Amino acid sequence: MRGFTLIETIVVIVIFTLAIGAVFSLIVMAYRVQGYTWQQSQAIEEARKGIEIMVKEIREARTGEDGSYTIDKTEDKEFGFYSDIDRDLDIEKVRYFIEGDPDSLEGALFKKGVINPVGIPATYPTSSEVVTTLAKYLRNAPPIFRYFDENGNELPSPARRKDSTLMQVYLIINVDKDRSPQNFELKSEVQIRNLKRNL
């Protein structure tokens, strides 16, 4: 009975090593794809929850404790208003805004700032604002927020604050803009109940 020659043994080892390397590469690639897909779905879910909370709070917007108009700010990447977001009978000053660069590795951030009223008469000291991040990996540039009147006409600045009754938010989420899956778009509209006009 004849054994393997040295060359045959080396060829078998090389083929076995290549096969193991190919299998290992496929496993690593599968984990990376799964990890990226999970991270993308988490980012989308965070953004969706943030928008749901925002819509609920904006719908209930009202005059501030200090007598301020219901809407405080109507910019392309920031929307501010007054609302009792925690049901404690105090009207908080709330703002939703985008911070950062959508072209950076982490993308821009979707944030929420809240200021509780202080004193009598009430004031809203900006130094007491509590800011939380609702979502990461935003890839769209302003306008993030758009504003409409009672007839559905989009409003330019400065008419937005006075005439807005409907607000729209539009976010594009993508953990890595250079790889698939591509951008995921979230869009929502909200009618401010206390600013509805009778037609």
Side-chain angles (χ1 to χ4, degrees):
M1 185 169 209
R2 183 170 112 34
F4 289 108
T5 66
L6 180 61
I7 293 178
E8 290 172 332
T9 304
I10 291 173
V11 168
V12 168
I13 290 173
V14 167
I15 291 172
F16 180 74
T17 303
L18 289 174
I20 292 295
V23 169
F24 182 74
S25 294
L26 286 173
I27 291 170
V28 167
M29 189 173 74
Y31 274 114
R32 284 185 183 157
V33 168
Q34 180 185 10
Y36 171 72
T37 304
W38 181 83
Q39 193 176 13
Q40 177 83 342
S41 67
Q42 287 297 106
I44 291 167
E45 187 59 25
E46 285 175 3
R48 183 176 287 134
K49 284 180 182 175
I51 288 177
E52 285 174 8
I53 291 167
M54 183 189 73
V55 165
K56 182 179 175 187
E57 292 173 355
I58 292 171
R59 189 174 287 129
E60 301 297 328
R62 61 193 68 243
T63 304
E65 292 277 345
D66 61 354
S68 295
Y69 183 63
T70 305
I71 297 175
D72 178 58
K73 204 173 270 191
T74 54
E75 296 177 3
D76 287 351
K77 62 179 190 175
E78 183 173 346
F79 179 65
F81 60 98
Y82 295 88
S83 185
D84 182 11
I85 63 170
D86 54 8
R87 306 279 187 225
D88 65 354
L89 303 180
D90 287 332
I91 308 301
E92 291 82 19
K93 184 176 183 179
V94 183
R95 71 183 179 115
Y96 284 90
F97 61 102
I98 305 305
E99 185 178 89
D101 180 8
D103 292 324
S104 70
L105 184 62
E106 290 290 317
L109 303 173
F110 182 42
K111 293 188 167 189
K112 173 184 177 180
V114 178
I115 303 173
N116 286 303
V118 175
I120 299 173
T123 60
Y124 292 93
T126 55
S127 60
S128 67
E129 182 179 41
V130 176
V131 176
T132 54
T133 300
L134 301 174
K136 298 183 283 190
Y137 306 111
L138 267 65
R139 297 297 174 186
N140 54 319
I144 304 296
F145 301 106
R146 296 170 64 200
Y147 309 92
F148 301 87
D149 67 14
E150 61 191 21
N151 298 316
N153 301 313
E154 186 165 2
L155 297 167
S157 287
R160 292 173 172 173
R161 188 169 175 267
K162 176 175 69 79
D163 296 328
S164 290
T165 58
L166 180 85
M167 194 274 295
Q168 180 187 86
V169 62
Y170 174 66
L171 303 177
I172 296 174
I173 306 294
N174 196 342
V175 171
D176 185 347
K177 61 182 182 165
D178 297 325
R179 82 186 265 201
S180 294
Q182 295 300 316
N183 296 333
F184 187 85
E185 299 179 7
L186 291 164
K187 185 189 278 189
S188 188
E189 294 179 349
V190 58
Q191 178 81 47
I192 303 169
R193 285 184 184 151
N194 292 326
L195 297 182
K196 267 178 151 174
R197 310 237 196 315
N198 293 324
L199 300 176

